[in-house]
Amino acid sequence: MKLVIFVKEIALHFSGLQTILILSFLLMQIEVCAFSIESCLNAQRAGARRVELCGGLYEGGTTPSVGLIQKAREVLSIQLYVMVRPRGGDFCYDEEELEVMRFDIEAAKKMGADGVVFGILKPDGQVDIERTKALVDLAQPMGVTFHRAFDVASDPFEALEAVIATGAERILTSGQQNTALLGKELIHQLVEKAQGRIEIMAGSGVNADNAVLLAKTGVSALHLTGKSVRKGAMVYQKQGVSMASVLPTEEYEITYSDEAKIKALKERLKA
């Protein structure tokens, strides 16, 4: 009832288009991609609607550990969606990898996750409707986000219809560009073509500085990491030994989702 009154008040002072735009900003869902419990808690304190929980930071996100999922569910009252991606690399999976994904979906369901996140493509870059739909059905009653495998699909509009056919509730996309800001025109086109049949969520490079521009595309959600880096607790630091072949940060630095950056984005949308 309060929401209805609020909408009527806005409509009294603004045009129809302005009213829709204002409401879309105020009702925008914020999803935070988190790789640790610290990041989960920061996202929740900052007012995020949902956490996408991942492992494999330097591979763009892979399935998190059972322990991380269980602890995240314990500390979060907001929605928890679990990445289901058995490895880095492409999104064309063999039967053994699909079996791993099925096990991981069942595990996430048992631990109380609200949803899972995955995407499957065929070798020719089309969405694998049959295999994706089978996993969507397995995931029920959890929700499903089709992740940025969408951004390397051969045709974005064919991919849109294919994902809708799988029964997934949401697509995460950067508009088939490296960042959502670069892909905002395609994102807007996808929103228009979807016509409310599926949620479109913009992700990759999302921050407080571009949130308003991205919100104007008509998306229902913004996805960000809100990344910051800090020094770890190690005082002694062994030089010349690395635990990974590729590291975008120093070996002894910790990457986390920054509560202040997530709050800044939300505040920008309210301004």
Side-chain angles (χ1 to χ4, degrees):
M1 188 64 181
K2 288 182 180 179
L3 179 60
V4 173
I5 295 171
F6 177 62
V7 172
K8 287 181 178 179
E9 284 293 322
I10 293 175
L12 286 174
H13 297 91
F14 298 96
S15 70
L17 184 59
Q18 287 175 317
T19 298
I20 292 170
L21 196 59
I22 290 168
L23 288 174
S24 69
F25 282 20
L26 293 176
L27 299 175
M28 183 68 66
Q29 300 175 46
I30 305 301
E31 177 179 279
V32 174
C33 179
F35 293 84
S36 66
I37 297 302
E38 175 188 9
S39 294
C40 288
L41 290 170
N42 285 347
Q44 181 162 269
R45 283 192 292 261
R49 170 79 67 87
R50 183 170 54 245
V51 161
E52 178 196 79
L53 188 66
C54 301
L57 171 64
Y58 303 121
E59 293 181 287
T62 55
T63 308
S65 72
V66 169
L68 184 57
I69 299 170
Q70 186 168 329
K71 186 62 179 178
R73 182 69 288 172
E74 180 183 313
V75 302
L76 290 176
S77 57
I78 61 175
Q79 290 185 340
L80 172 64
Y81 275 53
V82 174
M83 175 64 73
V84 176
R85 186 179 176 210
R87 55 163 170 76
D90 67 23
F91 304 101
C92 187
Y93 302 113
D94 62 27
E95 184 53 42
E96 285 73 23
E97 290 168 326
L98 286 167
E99 185 69 7
V100 171
M101 294 174 77
R102 288 191 283 268
F103 287 143
D104 286 336
I105 288 169
E106 293 283 17
K109 188 188 298 187
K110 288 177 182 177
M111 285 184 280
D114 298 289
V116 285
V117 183
F118 55 79
I120 307 173
L121 300 180
K122 295 179 178 180
D124 62 2
Q126 293 185 46
V127 172
D128 191 325
I129 298 175
E130 182 180 353
R131 287 177 165 181
T132 302
K133 187 179 187 308
L135 294 188
V136 171
D137 291 344
L138 177 65
Q140 291 182 359
M142 296 188 296
V144 173
T145 299
F146 192 97
H147 61 40
R148 288 188 62 217
F150 182 91
D151 288 323
V152 293
S154 53
D155 184 297
F157 300 112
E158 287 183 5
L160 171 65
E161 297 303 325
V163 176
I164 290 171
T166 69
E169 64 179 337
R170 183 182 302 109
I171 294 171
L172 170 62
T173 179
S174 62
Q176 296 206 326
Q177 298 291 329
N178 284 331
T179 68
L181 190 60
L182 290 173
K184 63 184 175 63
E185 296 304 326
L186 177 57
I187 292 172
H188 177 62
Q189 292 174 35
L190 291 167
V191 171
E192 290 194 322
K193 287 195 175 292
Q195 296 183 327
R197 293 175 294 161
I198 194 169
E199 293 180 24
I200 305 296
M201 176 166 60
S204 185
V206 175
N207 56 49
D209 292 333
N210 58 34
V212 171
L213 272 176
L214 293 172
K216 287 180 179 178
T217 64
V219 294
S220 57
L222 296 176
H223 170 100
L224 74 157
T225 303
K227 183 173 68 176
S228 283
V229 178
R230 58 176 169 77
K231 294 294 183 183
M234 289 290 294
V235 176
Y236 173 74
Q237 298 183 1
K238 183 74 171 181
Q239 299 303 307
V241 179
S242 177
M243 297 294 108
S245 58
V246 178
L247 276 175
T249 60
E250 294 295 324
E251 189 79 48
Y252 291 95
E253 288 182 334
I254 307 297
T255 301
Y256 66 100
S257 296
D258 191 322
E259 180 179 348
K261 289 184 177 180
I262 302 164
K263 281 183 176 177
L265 181 145
K266 286 179 64 67
E267 290 302 316
R268 195 66 60 89
L269 292 173
K270 293 178 183 177

